Amino acid sequence: MQTKKEGVADLIPATRTTWLVLSMLVASSHLGATAQNWPTRPIEMIIPYAAGGGVDIVGRAVAGSLSEQFGQSVAVVNRDGAGGTLGFNVLASATPDGYTLGAGPTTPITSSPYLIKGVRYQADSFDYICQVFENVFAIAVEPGSRFNSAKDLFAAATANPGRLNYGHAGHGSIPHLSVENLAEALKLKFQPAPFRGDPPMLAVMLKGDLDFGVPSLASIRGQNFRVLAVFDDERHPTLPDVPTAKELGVATSVPPGYNGIYAPKGLPSQVRKALQDACSKAVQNDTVARAIGNTGQVVRYLTGGQFEARTAADFTFKGELIRRLGLAGQ
């Protein structure tokens, strides 16, 4: 039986397949070499808030430490707007090559997707490098307030449902969710008053036009406000005599603002490990610790894996809370 003679046309499919495989191998080899040599050029760190705030101050300190460790410039770029979601949208869509990082709180990740239309990311859209510190919020009153303790405040709220007003940093913010969650747990009712951040809220508090406010401890550091309670699992080291919300009867309180370093999802494993190792060293840097201390907070380091798991759990918790409180999509 005569065998068909193989022609050029019969070789084309195999040749195309061979070239495709070779191309993929070359691309994979190039990416591997790039990751092994990383970084070979400056790195950009996106901070999703304006310059000069606590997040910016700490982010710049961490950027400085990373720059020293890698021998490359780590340039801070402030991409503020839409409650931090603008910067995180940019970060989520960046190339995951280690040359674009983000620094800031998890709030735009764990709350904003439930609250703001147009958010193009979820909690699993990022690689988590490490947690650096926590931004703790508190129930505070102005110096001349008639409330000397949280129990005084709650007693007045019980006697006057919906009559006491409080200031917070905006719809769906940690301060807003913290008080509404507390009110639900203790069967109280307050009148919320949103502000564009702590400074304008504190100015109104000092005039006596708010019964209480929920500022970050960083915002009232060195000022004469009376702190009645902190929203954290443990008492804050700078306020050892002030009770936590849990001590006051809130079984599951809203966590503080987790602040850390992020990258777009899909970093090469070598790059991710290098960043996580560098982040671990950065939180031990005196300049970084001092920057965090200047905001009235303390270093609370978590590894990338711990930070990711904690953020995922908080994302689920915030979604359930926001829906239960009827705040979604407003």
Side-chain angles (χ1 to χ4, degrees):
M1 184 175 180
Q2 188 176 8
T3 303
K4 180 183 176 182
K5 190 173 182 180
E6 198 173 56
V8 174
D10 299 301
L11 295 173
I12 290 176
T15 303
R16 285 177 177 167
T17 301
T18 302
W19 275 110
L20 178 60
V21 171
L22 287 173
S23 297
M24 292 174 64
L25 288 173
V26 170
S28 176
S29 174
H30 175 70
L31 287 174
T34 301
Q36 289 174 0
N37 296 331
W38 179 92
T40 60
R41 56 185 171 86
I43 298 167
E44 179 178 282
M45 178 180 282
I46 296 171
I47 295 182
Y49 297 98
V55 172
D56 179 72
I57 290 170
V58 175
R60 288 176 185 274
V62 173
S65 176
L66 296 182
S67 179
E68 290 177 4
Q69 293 182 61
F70 292 134
Q72 289 286 349
S73 170
V74 180
V76 169
V77 178
N78 296 93
R79 298 294 295 267
D80 56 310
T85 59
L86 176 61
F88 275 104
N89 271 329
V90 173
L91 180 64
S93 60
T95 302
D97 56 9
Y99 290 102
T100 305
L101 306 176
T106 58
T107 310
I109 297 174
T110 57
S111 297
S112 296
Y114 302 109
L115 298 164
I116 302 175
K117 294 180 179 179
V119 173
R120 302 190 300 273
Y121 57 78
Q122 298 289 311
D124 60 0
S125 299
F126 305 94
D127 275 343
Y128 293 79
I129 307 305
C130 81
Q131 178 180 294
V132 177
F133 76 103
E134 295 175 0
N135 192 22
V136 179
F137 295 87
I139 294 176
V141 295
E142 52 92 14
S145 172
R146 58 194 170 108
F147 304 122
N148 293 306
S149 70
K151 291 184 178 180
D152 290 345
L153 178 67
F154 298 163
T158 300
N160 302 278
R163 296 290 298 276
L164 271 63
N165 62 0
Y166 74 94
H168 62 79
H171 178 77
S173 63
I174 290 180
H176 183 209
L177 295 179
S178 294
V179 173
E180 294 305 312
N181 179 65
L182 178 146
E184 180 187 53
L186 302 183
K187 296 179 172 51
L188 301 174
K189 187 173 179 57
F190 299 106
Q191 186 64 41
F195 289 83
R196 292 178 63 88
D198 284 350
M201 177 189 72
L202 295 175
V204 174
M205 284 179 65
L206 287 173
K207 293 179 181 178
D209 293 335
L210 287 172
D211 292 298
F212 67 99
V214 191
S216 160
L217 289 181
S219 298
I220 56 175
R221 179 176 172 80
Q223 300 187 55
N224 195 26
F225 288 94
R226 186 182 304 147
V227 180
L228 306 184
V230 294
F231 288 104
D232 200 358
D233 291 336
E234 301 175 354
R235 295 195 178 196
H236 199 272
T238 65
L239 297 165
D241 297 327
V242 176
T244 67
K246 187 174 184 178
E247 291 178 86
L248 296 170
V250 182
T252 305
S253 60
V254 175
Y258 305 146
N259 280 256
I261 308 300
Y262 319 80
K265 188 72 173 181
L267 286 179
S269 58
Q270 302 99 312
V271 174
R272 185 172 64 250
K273 185 179 186 308
L275 281 167
Q276 290 176 342
D277 289 347
C279 198
S280 173
K281 293 177 182 177
V283 297
Q284 301 173 52
N285 181 286
D286 288 343
T287 301
V288 174
R290 191 159 48 248
I292 295 171
N294 288 340
T295 70
Q297 308 294 0
V298 294
V299 172
R300 287 189 176 172
Y301 167 78
L302 289 179
T303 67
Q306 292 169 328
F307 189 29
E308 180 175 13
R310 191 180 210 188
T311 303
D314 191 36
F315 180 71
T316 300
F317 170 74
K318 291 279 179 57
E320 294 171 351
L321 177 63
I322 288 168
R323 283 190 289 267
R324 193 171 70 244
L325 294 175
L327 302 175
Q330 294 185 10

